[in-house]
Amino acid sequence: MTEMGLAVTKGQDVEGLPMLESKIDDTLFNVFFYECHPQCRRMQFVTGFQMTQPMTPADANEWNRENPFAKLVVAESGNPYLEMDIGLAGDGLGRENFEDAFQTWRAVLGDFRASITE
């Protein structure tokens, strides 16, 4: 992501697994890695939004039906979390496939931000 012009902070999640933090257009997001024995088998882009009006599960379901590349989850507080999973198989993810997945994340994130500001 740094090669795509983004500042990236490396860290660990609450379980000690690797995690990255970055921003797209002032929206903070994390990249979590799972099943890392010895290589990670899955990664997930995640961001959350603080809403002035709570989002309902029905709102999320509607968005999910129309947007197949990411999943919207609503917390009990009514704040939505946008997630996009990527399978890494046994040998990781090549640069071209990562760039394609990242551009999908950027587009999905932009679409969701536009949908909540309309």
Side-chain angles (χ1 to χ4, degrees), residues 32 72 80 100:
F32 296 103
L72 190 61
D100 181 63

Side-chain angles (χ1 to χ4, degrees), residues 21-118:
E21 183 177 273
S22 190
K23 283 185 178 183
I24 295 175
D25 300 328
D26 293 326
T27 300
L28 183 69
F29 69 94
N30 294 308
V31 183
F32 296 103
F33 297 86
Y34 299 99
E35 300 174 46
C36 300
H37 308 285
Q39 290 184 326
C40 300
R41 297 186 48 79
R42 186 169 64 91
M43 63 188 286
Q44 183 183 58
F45 292 92
V46 178
T47 191
F49 295 85
Q50 297 288 324
M51 304 293 287
T52 55
Q53 294 290 323
M55 182 171 275
T56 67
D59 295 333
N61 288 341
E62 181 180 338
W63 194 89
N64 287 334
R65 275 191 299 275
E66 296 173 8
N67 297 276
F69 294 108
K71 172 177 59 178
L72 190 61
V73 178
V74 178
E76 287 184 24
S77 64
N79 290 323
Y81 289 84
L82 189 62
E83 305 173 348
M84 188 175 94
D85 292 326
I86 300 169
L88 301 177
D91 58 351
L93 184 67
R95 177 184 301 259
E96 189 174 327
N97 286 337
F98 177 78
E99 288 175 359
D100 181 63
F102 183 77
Q103 292 307 324
T104 299
W105 171 246
R106 182 186 294 268
V108 166
L109 183 55
D111 290 348
F112 181 69
R113 280 195 322 254
S115 77
I116 61 175
T117 58
E118 294 177 341

